[in-house]
């Protein structure tokens, strides 16, 4: 596992919840959810605008127990934020959570942070 502070331009990374850390191995990054509830309203913010042309994107997906959920959003060139106001995910205590960041088109290596409503 490689830990870093910026998203890769060509390798999938995982971003920790409830703290900091970006890594290439979801097992080392994921956190255990202490109680069950519903996840919604994903918000992701980059440390800088993505530069370049169309096709340079980071796709963000909430991961539960190592599996992708429908809670996702995409940041494309000349943007720095994305949200998913529609999709939700029911989770139970003891499951793990992380955020997958999948680059496409060789986007900038930037820092990222995220929030999700958890109730």
């Amino acid at each position: 596992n490689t830990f870093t502070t910026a998203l890769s331009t060509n390798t999938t990374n995982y971003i920790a919840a409830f703290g900091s850390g970006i890594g290439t191995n979801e097992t080392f990054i994921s956190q255990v959810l202490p109680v069950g509830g519903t996840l919604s309203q994903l918000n992701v913010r980059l440390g800088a605008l993505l530069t370049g042309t169309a096709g340079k994107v980071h796709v963000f997906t909430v991961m539960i127990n190592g599996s992708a959920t429908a809670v996702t959003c995409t940041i494309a060139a000349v943007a720095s934020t994305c949200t998913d106001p529609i999709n939700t995910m029911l989770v139970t205590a003891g499951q793990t959570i992380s955020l997958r960041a999948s680059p496409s088109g060789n986007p900038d290596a930037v820092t990222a942070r995220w929030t999700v409503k958890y109730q």
Side-chain angles (χ1 to χ4, degrees), residues 7 44-46 48-60 73-83 102-108 110:
L7 298 175
V44 180
R45 178 177 300 276
L46 301 180
L49 288 174
L50 285 185
T51 61
T53 59
K56 293 183 177 234
V57 300
H58 283 290
V59 179
F60 298 94
C73 68
T74 300
I75 299 178
V78 300
S80 64
T81 63
C82 67
T83 62
S102 302
S104 180
N106 201 34
D108 301 332
V110 292

Side-chain angles (χ1 to χ4, degrees), residues 32-44:
V32 175
L33 294 167
V35 296
T38 301
L39 302 175
S40 63
Q41 300 179 15
L42 171 65
N43 289 282
V44 180

Side-chain angles (χ1 to χ4, degrees), residues 14 26 31-32 42 44 55 63-64 66-67 73 98 107-108 111 113 118:
Y14 297 90
E26 200 263 346
Q31 300 288 316
V32 175
L42 171 65
V44 180
M63 305 292 288
I64 299 296
S67 296
C73 68
S98 68
D108 301 332
T111 60
R113 56 192 182 276
Y118 182 43

Side-chain angles (χ1 to χ4, degrees), residues 5-28:
T5 57
L7 298 175
S8 174
T9 62
N10 58 12
T11 301
T12 297
N13 287 136
Y14 297 90
I15 307 169
F18 317 118
S20 62
I22 297 173
T24 56
N25 187 325
E26 200 263 346
T27 302
F28 293 112

